[in-house]
Amino acid sequence: MKKIFLAAVLFIATSATIQAQLLKLGVKAGVNFANQTGDFPESIDKEGITSYHAGLVAEIKLLDRFSIQPELLYSTTGASYKFQDVSGDIKNELGYISIPVMAKIYLNKTFSIEAGPQASFLVSERNDFDVENGETFEFGLNAGLGVKLTENFFLQGRYGIGLTEASKDADVKNSVFQISAGFMF
């Protein structure tokens, strides 16, 4: 009976150790340098905005140098518009729940490259004018680089481009450059 109990304890401990090596959970946050692309009249000057993102991250190790990194983030994007014939600026800030799923290839133990799709769901829209015209779903692609500072701390730089329209009324797509810092548990 003692041998069976000892074997069960060793099996559970080994399984937990293997699972801990294959799956890591963490948090990340950072700054967004967001803008919107599209066909704009010459009477409109468009500028990017600086915003933020924060959320949860997981890393699922599939091979020695290959992982899948799904994330659940709150991220804000948008742009600021200046009209030449009207005084004042309009700032359009869109808040999304974003779900990127990144394929991550480690070049060595420190550096990685990543790329993958992202689905985003609009949860808030803050405008300097009373028009709510944002699409409720956006699909995009991301690519970037990662650096492991320690076994737990990491930095990432990523560019994301929207492939679907961000507005119901205009030919506008979101683009964002993100710089993130995170911690894996």
Side-chain angles (χ1 to χ4, degrees):
M1 183 68 165
K2 289 181 183 179
K3 290 181 182 180
I4 294 173
F5 179 72
L6 182 59
V9 168
L10 286 174
F11 176 74
I12 291 170
T14 303
S15 296
T17 302
I18 290 171
Q19 186 174 0
Q21 292 174 352
L22 299 178
L23 173 68
K24 291 187 176 184
L25 300 174
V27 294
K28 70 182 264 187
V31 63
N32 289 349
F33 300 101
N35 211 335
Q36 293 180 324
T37 62
D39 295 327
F40 297 98
E42 291 182 18
S43 62
I44 299 176
D45 292 328
K46 178 182 59 72
E47 293 181 6
I49 62 170
T50 303
S51 56
Y52 64 94
H53 64 275
L56 304 173
V57 60
E59 185 172 342
I60 304 161
K61 186 175 182 180
L62 300 178
L63 299 171
D64 186 40
R65 292 183 177 240
F66 180 74
S67 299
I68 299 294
Q69 183 172 305
E71 301 174 0
L72 179 64
L73 305 173
Y74 178 79
S75 183
T76 55
T77 63
S80 180
Y81 298 94
K82 295 180 182 180
F83 298 91
Q84 294 175 357
D85 53 346
V86 180
S87 64
D89 299 346
I90 295 174
K91 183 178 179 183
N92 186 21
E93 187 175 292
L94 306 169
Y96 291 96
I97 297 293
S98 297
I99 305 169
V101 179
M102 307 301 288
K104 192 171 186 179
I105 299 170
Y106 282 93
L107 303 174
N108 56 36
K109 292 186 181 223
T110 304
F111 296 99
S112 63
I113 57 174
E114 56 189 46
Q118 175 174 296
S120 298
F121 302 91
L122 184 67
V123 293
S124 70
E125 184 174 5
R126 189 169 50 189
N127 298 314
D128 290 341
F129 58 104
D130 293 328
V131 176
E132 294 200 6
N133 61 354
E135 289 287 351
T136 58
F137 176 78
E138 181 188 45
F139 182 77
L141 291 176
N142 296 321
L145 300 170
V147 178
K148 280 177 113 175
L149 299 176
T150 67
E151 190 60 33
N152 296 9
F153 288 101
F154 65 90
L155 296 175
Q156 290 176 325
R158 181 183 296 170
Y159 179 74
I161 184 80
L163 299 178
T164 58
E165 303 296 328
S167 173
K168 295 175 185 174
D169 300 330
D171 178 22
V172 174
K173 295 178 182 175
N174 287 317
S175 67
V176 63
F177 180 71
Q178 296 178 325
I179 298 174
S180 309
F183 182 82
M184 297 299 262
F185 299 102

